[in-house]
């Protein structure tokens, strides 16, 4: 199996992390990939760091937005530029283990799948392992995903020849969850590679670290993406919070 994998990476002021992120891709045992980085008008040294890699590795491609437009716009721009059979996601501060692509693609082929993800470990801003592994139900059904996003964005891969390029409104928040919901609505359930293949960086000032923003954006998935009315969306959010705070905790393991 030697199909091209397109890796989508939006960037914005990530000079502290982007070098390690790109190097984790270059260190892959599976080498047929293209890394498409779209910079969202960074004001630090992010672009100059990426340009160093672009000069030495033709698989790394940089595109620059003229003005800061948001992560969704940058991700959609990267998707438009992608030419691989498979689409993978990697945010500019996260890392992959060296066998991530090889193991996932083999898992896809062996099990005749069109979408998969994996478990992942958490690291802090300095890259220290927090001894916290996030797993998921096996298999993961659409109903389970409906009430909780068990799929780490940095771990997902889907077959673009099967699903097409899944593009959502760039202004939508929790874009990743909406993509997985779109996929599982078609295939009903998904299987994860049952091991950790990536490292999610927890940053103090990141959007995902704000509990209020999480609640607001998750509510938007029910209200805007699914189109439910306000009252029903509130009821679904209560179920979501129970799943997030109680059920999902069973899948977070100390390692």
């Amino acid at each position: 199996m030697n199909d091209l994998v397109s890796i989508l990476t939006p960037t914005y002021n990530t000079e502290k992390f982007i070098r390690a992120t790109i190097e984790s891709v270059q260190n892959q045992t599976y080498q047929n990939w293209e890394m498409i980085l779209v910079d969202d008008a960074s004001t630090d040294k992010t672009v100059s760091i990426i340009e160093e890699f672009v000069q030495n590795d033709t698989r790394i491609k940089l595109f620059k937005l003229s003005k800061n437009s948001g992560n969704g716009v940058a991700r959609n721009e990267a998707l438009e530029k992608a030419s691989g059979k498979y689409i993978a996601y990697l945010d500019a501060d996260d890392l992959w283990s060296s066998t991530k692509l090889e193991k996932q693609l083999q898992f896809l082929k062996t099990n005749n799948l069109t979408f998969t993800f994996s478990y992942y470990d958490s690291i802090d801003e300095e890259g220290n392992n927090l001894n916290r592994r996030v797993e998921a139900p096996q298999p993961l059904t659409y109903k389970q995903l409906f009430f909780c996003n068990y799929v780490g964005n940095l771990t997902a891969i889907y077959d673009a020849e099967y699903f097409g390029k899944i593009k959502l409104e760039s202004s939508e928040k929790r874009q990743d969850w909406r993509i997985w919901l779109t996929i599982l609505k078609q295939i009903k359930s998904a299987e994860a590679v049952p091991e950790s293949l990536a490292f999610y960086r927890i940053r103090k000032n990141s959007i995902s670290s704000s509990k209020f923003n999480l609640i607001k954006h998750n509510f938007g998935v029910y209200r805007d993406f699914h189109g439910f009315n306000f009252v029903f969306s509130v009821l679904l959010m209560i179920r979501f919070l129970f799943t997030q705070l109680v059920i999902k905790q069973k899948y977070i393991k100390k390692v």
Side-chain angles (χ1 to χ4, degrees):
M1 185 180 208
N2 197 37
D3 294 306
L4 179 66
V5 179
S6 295
I7 304 160
L8 312 186
T9 304
T11 67
Y12 178 69
N13 288 353
T14 54
E15 64 178 4
K16 183 178 178 181
F17 312 109
I18 190 61
R19 187 179 299 278
T21 298
I22 295 174
E23 288 174 347
S24 79
V25 174
Q26 289 184 312
N27 290 334
Q28 290 299 299
T29 53
Y30 185 90
Q31 288 285 297
N32 191 21
W33 50 262
E34 61 175 2
M35 188 176 191
I36 303 173
L37 300 108
V38 176
D39 186 74
D40 193 20
S42 291
T43 57
D44 64 359
K45 296 179 181 178
T46 298
V47 169
S48 62
I49 293 171
I50 296 171
E51 287 175 339
E52 293 176 24
F53 287 95
V54 171
Q55 292 173 5
N56 297 298
D57 193 332
T58 58
R59 298 171 298 177
I60 300 172
K61 304 169 184 179
L62 171 64
F63 301 92
K64 294 177 278 189
L65 299 181
S66 59
K67 63 178 181 179
N68 184 257
S69 304
N71 189 67
V73 173
R75 184 175 286 145
N76 278 342
E77 181 72 13
L79 182 64
E80 288 183 4
K81 306 293 185 183
S83 55
K85 172 178 171 59
Y86 294 102
I87 302 294
Y89 298 86
L90 179 61
D91 285 343
D93 51 0
D94 295 332
L95 305 171
W96 282 352
S97 67
S98 62
T99 58
K100 196 263 189 190
L101 288 180
E102 179 183 2
K103 288 185 174 182
Q104 279 196 277
L105 292 174
Q106 185 60 48
F107 188 78
L108 281 168
K109 182 178 180 180
T110 300
N111 295 286
N112 194 28
L113 303 175
T114 53
F115 169 76
T116 191
F117 59 106
S118 77
Y119 304 158
Y120 62 92
D121 289 349
S122 299
I123 57 177
D124 65 15
E125 286 202 32
E126 306 307 318
N128 301 307
N129 200 309
L130 297 175
N131 301 316
R132 178 178 180 269
R133 179 160 298 164
V134 181
E135 301 183 355
Q138 286 276 50
L140 175 64
T141 66
Y142 177 80
K143 183 178 180 180
Q144 288 170 315
L145 185 69
F146 184 85
F147 289 111
C148 183
N149 183 14
Y150 288 98
V151 180
N153 182 62
L154 69 167
T155 72
I157 293 180
Y158 72 82
D159 187 337
E161 291 183 1
Y162 181 86
F163 294 105
K165 293 182 179 180
I166 304 174
K167 183 177 180 180
L168 298 175
E169 290 296 324
S170 57
S171 60
E172 292 177 336
K173 303 298 182 181
R174 295 312 305 269
Q175 194 180 49
D176 56 338
W177 189 19
R178 298 171 193 237
I179 292 172
W180 321 145
L181 286 164
T182 300
I183 289 173
L184 260 68
K185 197 166 187 178
Q186 294 184 53
I187 62 175
K188 308 307 178 186
S189 66
E191 294 181 52
V193 179
E195 63 179 290
S196 175
L197 296 176
F199 301 90
Y200 174 72
R201 195 183 303 271
I202 297 178
R203 296 168 60 186
K204 295 175 183 177
N205 297 319
S206 67
I207 292 176
S208 60
S209 68
S210 167
K211 304 304 182 186
F212 175 76
N213 278 335
L214 275 177
I215 292 173
K216 180 176 68 174
H217 298 328
N218 290 335
F219 176 80
V221 172
Y222 294 123
R223 187 77 174 94
D224 304 322
F225 180 69
H226 291 293
F228 298 126
N229 63 41
F230 180 84
V231 174
F232 192 49
S233 295
V234 170
L235 294 175
L236 290 172
M237 270 304 300
I238 294 172
R239 172 72 180 272
F240 171 89
L241 290 171
F242 173 79
T243 305
Q244 182 76 20
L245 298 174
V246 179
I247 297 177
K248 188 177 182 179
Q249 299 309 306
K250 300 176 183 178
Y251 296 98
I252 298 176
K253 308 291 179 62
K254 289 184 177 181
V255 292

